[in-house]
Amino acid sequence: MFNVVVVGTGGTGSCFLQKLARFCSVSDECIDVTVVDGDVVEQKNLIRQQFNDCNIGQYKAEALVGLAMDTYCLSWTAIPAYLVEVEQLKRIFRNKSGVNVLVGCVDNHAARKVMEEWFDLEENVIYIDSANDEFDGEIVVSVKAGGCEISPRRSFYFPDVLTDNSPSVVEMSCEARNLSSPQHQATNELAGNIIFIVLCEILKREIPTGMIVFNAKDFTMRRLAFSDGKLVV
């Protein structure tokens, strides 16, 4: 059993979940999926996120879980709430057996701090965290086994995750950028695809440690494995 919890259903999260739903509908693996987000679908979200006019006014998490149910008959769970404390993740994963995988598709360090706190508390877990600007970004794969950190979390590479106290990025900033730069939508699609590829490797019992860096404008993607305490270029 793989327990996959996805936090964030914006540009990257909704792209990834669309691909995951299609995969789950044909896969022999037992994959339990929970989607967490307190955002509500607005007209502006239709520019680059996987929603339709009929979803406006719905919670994003519930809309995507409903789509997975209607299209592929999947029994996913939606939690229409923002991630603000580690107890939320502890409740979600409580009493779940198997491999626990946390996927972060958020646009703010406040939520990442909560996810990293949960990562610290767990003995055996995989945490995939995505972040991107207009064109480039990185997917960090963090792994703990038997309480040992085999592949570190994002703050190991980017310490500002723990020191940055700025508020969440306003979603409109992304939508406004996309009006003049359609490439931003392609960046989200690329990030969603990479997360999906990473998860597929995990399902094959092969965990790609370290970080995957990408640039949608330059058509580049490169994996930097973590070995002997550092990234291997």
Side-chain angles (χ1 to χ4, degrees), residues 156-157 209-211 224-227 229-233:
F156 176 86
Y157 311 107
T209 62
M211 181 192 312
L224 307 174
F226 187 82
S227 180
K230 62 182 179 180
L231 290 175
V232 180
V233 180

Side-chain angles (χ1 to χ4, degrees), residues 84-130:
V84 294
E85 59 180 7
V86 72
E87 288 298 324
Q88 292 171 276
L89 290 176
K90 291 168 68 174
R91 286 195 297 269
I92 293 170
F93 281 105
R94 186 172 294 141
N95 299 324
K96 290 184 182 295
S97 60
V99 180
N100 291 337
V101 182
L102 175 63
V103 181
C105 300
V106 300
D107 62 358
N108 65 93
H109 289 333
R112 288 192 178 94
K113 289 178 184 178
V114 174
M115 289 187 279
E116 291 205 1
E117 182 181 353
W118 177 81
F119 180 78
D120 284 335
L121 295 172
E122 295 299 304
E123 293 287 312
N124 302 284
V125 66
I126 301 170
Y127 168 33
I128 305 168
D129 184 64
S130 174

Side-chain angles (χ1 to χ4, degrees), residues 2-218:
F2 288 86
N3 305 304
V4 180
V5 174
V6 182
V7 180
T9 57
T12 297
S14 61
C15 290
F16 165 65
L17 285 165
Q18 183 185 58
K19 304 172 199 310
L20 181 59
R22 187 180 299 115
F23 176 82
C24 287
S25 69
V26 298
S27 175
D28 292 329
E29 291 283 2
C30 188
I31 306 173
D32 178 75
V33 178
T34 300
V35 184
V36 183
D37 198 330
D39 272 353
V40 172
V41 180
E42 301 178 63
Q43 180 70 41
K44 63 186 181 183
N45 300 140
L46 306 186
I47 300 173
R48 65 183 184 89
Q49 300 179 16
Q50 306 302 308
F51 302 104
N52 300 309
D53 287 331
C54 63
N55 299 129
I56 293 176
Q58 298 177 351
Y59 281 105
K60 291 180 180 180
E62 292 182 339
L64 290 171
V65 167
L67 182 62
M69 175 64 173
D70 294 342
T71 307
Y72 302 110
C73 297
L74 298 173
S75 297
W76 287 7
T77 300
I79 299 180
Y82 294 113
L83 181 65
V84 294
E85 59 180 7
V86 72
E87 288 298 324
Q88 292 171 276
L89 290 176
K90 291 168 68 174
R91 286 195 297 269
I92 293 170
F93 281 105
R94 186 172 294 141
N95 299 324
K96 290 184 182 295
S97 60
V99 180
N100 291 337
V101 182
L102 175 63
V103 181
C105 300
V106 300
D107 62 358
N108 65 93
H109 289 333
R112 288 192 178 94
K113 289 178 184 178
V114 174
M115 289 187 279
E116 291 205 1
E117 182 181 353
W118 177 81
F119 180 78
D120 284 335
L121 295 172
E122 295 299 304
E123 293 287 312
N124 302 284
V125 66
I126 301 170
Y127 168 33
I128 305 168
D129 184 64
S130 174
N132 64 268
D133 292 318
E134 188 171 3
F135 300 112
D136 64 321
E138 61 283 322
I139 311 295
V140 176
V141 184
S142 310
V143 184
K144 285 181 72 177
C148 296
E149 192 168 312
I150 298 171
S151 186
R153 79 294 300 281
R154 177 175 292 275
S155 62
F156 176 86
Y157 311 107
F158 308 101
D160 62 308
V161 170
L162 300 180
T163 59
D164 182 8
N165 294 316
S166 59
S168 171
V169 175
V170 178
E171 184 65 19
M172 186 57 197
S173 64
C174 293
E175 311 299 348
R177 280 206 305 266
N178 198 57
L179 288 175
S180 60
S181 178
Q183 188 72 25
H184 189 71
Q185 179 183 351
T187 307
N188 292 138
E189 292 280 355
L190 180 54
N193 271 307
I194 295 173
I195 297 172
F196 178 65
I197 293 169
V198 170
L199 183 61
C200 286
E201 290 299 298
I202 292 170
L203 295 175
K204 293 191 299 182
R205 284 65 174 175
E206 299 176 6
I207 304 175
T209 62
M211 181 192 312
I212 300 96
V213 295
F214 61 91
N215 190 305
K217 188 175 183 180
D218 296 339

